[in-house]
Amino acid sequence: MSYQHLLVAVDLSEECTPVLQRAQELARSTQARLSIVHIIEPMAMAFGGDVPMDLTLIQQQQFEQAEAALAKLAEQYPEVSKEQRHLIFGQPRQEIHGLATEQGCDLIVVGSHGRHGLALLLGSTANDVLHGAPCDVLAVRLNPPT
Ligand code: AMP
């Protein structure tokens, strides 16, 4: 059984290139669709949801910057149409799972730093996405094992 629709989660850092390249190779070899998602974590969330100021303008700027970065990145992947680029406000795990279900994706691709010890306890997005995922998850290793 080959995959039909891959969803690549990107943090828009330089590190998302190897993740996207791996997903692209896989999508090409299985003739699957390729979609990309970036989640913008609302600033209020970082402060526990209780901020005594209006963050609307800052969030709008955050959205515009992410939109431009995502568009620039997607230029390198012609198989990803505009409709297959997603930018969502929220919590990464929840939004990535929700989008994968909504779009009928059968593989989520994320980058993984292969953290261990305390860093692992503090959590990683790859770990978070794996738990309760609605489909398979591929964690692309981002740094060589030490
Ligand atoms: P991290 O655990 O934050 O180092 O991120 C590992 C991987 O999780 C990244 O390579 C992305 O695949 C994914 N990821 C992290 N943050 C986000 C985000 N805001 N939106 C989408 N994917 C993300």
Side-chain angles (χ1 to χ4, degrees):
M1 191 196 78
S2 60
Y3 293 111
Q4 310 278 316
H5 191 175
L6 278 58
L7 178 62
V8 193
V10 292
D11 57 7
L12 297 179
S13 72
E14 282 178 8
E15 284 185 341
C16 60
T17 302
V19 182
L20 269 163
Q21 284 176 348
R22 180 60 59 87
Q24 184 185 43
E25 283 164 20
L26 192 59
R28 285 185 176 166
S29 68
T30 59
Q31 294 183 333
R33 290 179 71 197
L34 190 61
S35 293
I36 304 181
V37 62
H38 175 68
I39 311 299
I40 304 173
E41 292 185 70
M43 304 205 78
M45 242 184 216
F47 296 101
D50 197 14
V51 188
M53 61 190 273
D54 186 6
L55 297 172
T56 318
L57 192 64
I58 300 174
Q59 284 189 177
Q60 179 60 29
Q61 285 172 351
Q62 228 187 334
F63 187 88
E64 284 166 10
Q65 280 172 10
E67 196 174 37
L70 191 61
K72 191 158 183 270
L73 189 68
E75 274 172 15
Q76 299 163 54
Y77 303 89
E79 58 268 73
V80 181
S81 68
K82 271 194 175 170
E83 294 69 41
Q84 287 160 242
R85 272 187 236 159
H86 304 271
L87 202 50
I88 306 172
F89 271 109
Q91 195 271 333
R93 173 182 186 267
Q94 193 178 323
E95 300 304 332
I96 292 167
H97 287 178
L99 185 68
T101 304
E102 182 197 302
Q103 297 287 316
C105 297
D106 47 9
L107 183 69
I108 296 171
V109 184
V110 289
S112 167
H113 290 99
R115 293 184 180 96
H116 46 79
L118 188 60
L120 180 60
L121 282 179
L122 291 173
S124 73
T125 309
N127 232 14
D128 221 18
V129 168
L130 184 61
H131 292 283
C135 59
D136 290 358
V137 177
L138 171 66
V140 177
R141 183 123 191 173
L142 292 173
N143 50 2
T146 47

